[in-house]
Amino acid sequence: MQHRIIVLGAGYTGAIAAGRLAKRLRREDVAITLVNAEPDFVERVRMHQLAAGQDLKPRPFSEMLAGTGVDLRLAKVTDVDVDARTVSVIDANGAEELAYDTLVYALGSGWNAQGVPGTAEHAYEIAGRPGALRLRERLAGLDAGQTVLVVGGGLTGLEAATEIAEARPDLDVALAAHGGLGDWLSAKGREHLRKVFGKLGITVHEHAAVTGVEADRVTTADGTAIPAAVTVWTTGFAVHPIAKATTLEVTGTGQIVVDGTMRSVSHPDVYAVGDAAMAMGPGGKPLRMSCASGTPAAWQAADAIAARLTGGKLPNTPIRYFNQCISLGRKEGLIQYVTADDRAVQAVLTGRLAAVYKELVCKGAAWGVANPTLGLPTRRRRVTRERAAAGSTVKAPA
């Protein structure tokens, strides 16, 4: 019998993990199913571009996964029973239950309203394609001089504000940050960020904690009202809720607790990658939700699964950071170099060269989905029956 591997979610991490597994293991030995609700790959790192009116290159999975042996199942995941080792899905033909021997959980995250009153009713989000398209339509209908307020001073907020301001110079774009503008960046990084925001005419409200959202304004903790014809909410992400409803060991926010090989510490036949996983990085700090964390985590999980099934050597490559790549419109960018544990150093790359750098990173991330072993030669290994059985029952070492 084939060892059944099910991968839930075909974002960057899920798609990469599925493809990498297919190129590590013999097709006669494994059946790899990638479950996703949409037939094409969504470049999540470009949702601010989509919202600002740009058209993205279509990337159908039928082309990206062609010849890999990965079976794409177009369905929505509704439940996971990690004790019975089943996944419940629903598609156009109705509900079905899928059995697995190894599960890779990569359902990722969505926008996080943070419980702020009025956010769900009045704010727009760009955590996924539906939200970005909804915002795109709303922005297209705005008249010159109307205000677009981006709430959130993290990477997503910075990219959204600059992209919209560059695409629609006729609008009054503003950003409300809980702290100072780019306060986690180096001095050079902050200086460049303010320079670009100034050139684009973006108004910045610093140390402005938004406590309420209405149709035409937001209210901050000190009672200040900031006008906004459109409010774009980018204050972080919330993980998919399914994992929290299982018997998996999860954090308070619903992330699956994993070891260094991305294996669940409570259920050894389950691996979690990307935003869904709580993995520790350098310095004992949790890896942040990002493509920079998720991609190497997907490599780690796939290689660990393959090693355990074939008797190979387990991967032992610590996941670390090198830089933070921020697009500031199509013509400007900021590459903030960081320590292994993601703390800013003085070195930065700015301007047009940084914009090109970030564009190459985005293209490379999409290329990595179709080339999960980075274009390097691979040898598919044989799965042994004993290893396949042991891999689903023996608890992983810490």
Side-chain angles (χ1 to χ4, degrees):
M1 289 182 62
Q2 289 178 307
H3 188 86
R4 300 162 299 180
I5 302 175
I6 293 181
V7 181
L8 303 182
Y12 291 98
T13 58
I16 287 174
R20 196 171 180 95
L21 282 164
K23 292 189 176 183
R24 292 279 189 246
L25 302 170
R26 297 199 328 158
R27 295 181 188 176
E28 300 94 325
D29 298 337
V30 295
I32 302 172
T33 302
L34 178 60
V35 182
N36 199 57
E38 298 183 77
D40 57 331
F41 177 66
V42 177
E43 292 187 87
R44 190 175 184 183
V45 296
R46 294 189 187 273
M47 290 301 97
H48 56 287
Q49 295 176 236
L50 183 64
Q54 298 169 42
D55 294 323
L56 305 183
K57 177 182 178 180
R59 297 184 182 276
F61 284 119
S62 59
E63 296 178 8
M64 298 183 78
L65 298 175
T68 63
V70 175
D71 178 28
L72 178 66
R73 178 64 188 272
L74 294 177
K76 179 182 179 181
V77 180
T78 57
D79 184 60
V80 175
D81 188 333
V82 292
D83 298 313
R85 293 180 186 162
T86 59
V87 175
S88 298
V89 301
I90 188 168
D91 59 16
N93 297 317
E96 187 177 351
E97 198 172 77
L98 309 176
Y100 66 82
D101 298 303
T102 297
L103 180 71
V104 181
Y105 187 102
L107 289 178
S109 62
W111 80 309
N112 189 352
Q114 307 283 1
V116 174
T119 303
E121 296 82 3
H122 302 299
Y124 290 77
E125 50 91 8
I126 55 173
R129 183 161 56 186
L133 289 173
R134 180 170 169 260
L135 175 58
R136 177 189 179 113
E137 182 179 5
R138 180 71 179 98
L139 291 176
L142 290 181
D143 295 326
Q146 290 189 281
T147 298
V148 176
L149 176 67
V150 177
V151 179
L155 301 183
T156 304
L158 299 181
E159 293 192 329
T162 51
E163 201 75 49
I164 294 169
E166 181 183 89
R168 291 291 305 274
D170 59 316
L171 297 177
D172 181 6
V173 178
L175 181 136
H178 191 276
L181 181 64
D183 55 7
W184 75 94
L185 299 170
S186 66
K188 290 181 180 178
R190 293 194 300 272
E191 180 183 357
H192 184 71
L193 188 61
R194 290 187 182 279
K195 177 182 175 182
V196 174
F197 267 58
K199 284 198 316 186
L200 292 173
I202 301 172
T203 302
V204 180
H205 303 276
E206 298 182 89
H207 307 289
V210 174
T211 55
V213 180
E214 298 177 48
D216 60 351
R217 74 192 67 190
V218 304
T219 305
T220 63
D222 64 2
T224 301
I226 303 174
V230 173
T231 298
V232 185
W233 195 265
T234 68
T235 62
F237 301 104
V239 298
H240 199 288
I242 283 183
K244 199 169 186 178
T246 71
T247 56
L248 286 163
E249 182 174 337
V250 299
T251 66
T253 58
Q255 288 180 295
I256 299 170
V257 182
V258 297
D259 64 14
T261 64
M262 303 299 124
R263 196 183 201 185
S264 164
V265 298
S266 62
H267 291 72
D269 48 357
V270 176
Y271 292 72
V273 292
D275 292 355
M278 170 53 71
M280 304 307 290
K285 294 168 59 176
L287 297 174
R288 62 180 164 89
M289 292 184 179
S290 67
C291 193
S293 305
T295 296
W299 298 337
Q300 192 95 317
D303 290 353
I305 292 169
R308 288 189 170 107
L309 291 177
T310 64
K313 184 179 180 181
L314 281 174
N316 187 28
T317 305
I319 298 175
R320 58 153 297 164
Y321 297 101
F322 297 93
N323 52 47
Q324 294 181 9
C325 303
I326 312 170
S327 67
L328 302 173
R330 296 298 86 205
K331 302 174 183 177
E332 275 280 1
L334 171 59
I335 310 302
Q336 173 66 68
Y337 295 99
V338 298
T339 59
D341 62 350
D342 211 26
R343 290 176 291 112
V345 298
Q346 282 303 309
V348 296
L349 182 67
T350 61
R352 174 77 71 165
L353 189 57
V356 172
Y357 187 111
K358 174 62 189 286
E359 178 61 21
L360 290 175
V361 168
C362 292
K363 287 182 177 179
W367 180 86
V369 173
N371 299 272
T373 51
L374 306 180
L376 299 174
T378 59
R379 181 167 69 89
R380 291 186 173 90
R381 296 179 178 274
R382 179 186 295 276
V383 174
T384 67
R385 197 169 292 177
E386 295 78 10
R387 290 278 179 179
S392 297
T393 58
V394 180
K395 188 167 183 177

